[in-house]
Amino acid sequence: MTRQQFGFLAGFLLVAVWALGGAGAVTAAALAGLAGWLLVRVLDGDATVAGFADRVGAARRR
């Protein structure tokens, strides 16, 4: 599946959830998807918790 196809599918599913369940359901679905994406990035080694902490800490020091 290409990135474009995946993007289309994700957008379609979010709109379908919105149509069936309302704005609260689509917000919950989007947050669950984001949490899953972050978890997979960490498990694959593409992102580290320490790296996220460094980014948040740097923004507060500016």
Side-chain angles (χ1 to χ4, degrees):
M1 179 179 288
T2 66
R3 288 179 184 247
Q4 290 83 9
Q5 290 170 331
F6 182 76
F8 173 80
L9 180 63
F12 179 82
L13 290 175
L14 280 176
V15 170
V17 168
W18 192 339
L20 296 173
V26 77
T27 302
L31 290 176
L34 180 61
W37 177 79
L38 285 173
L39 179 65
V40 169
R41 294 279 310 227
V42 169
L43 291 176
D44 284 346
D46 293 336
T48 61
V49 175
F52 289 128
D54 288 343
R55 289 182 183 195
V56 171
R60 290 185 181 168
R61 284 180 260 178
R62 288 183 182 174

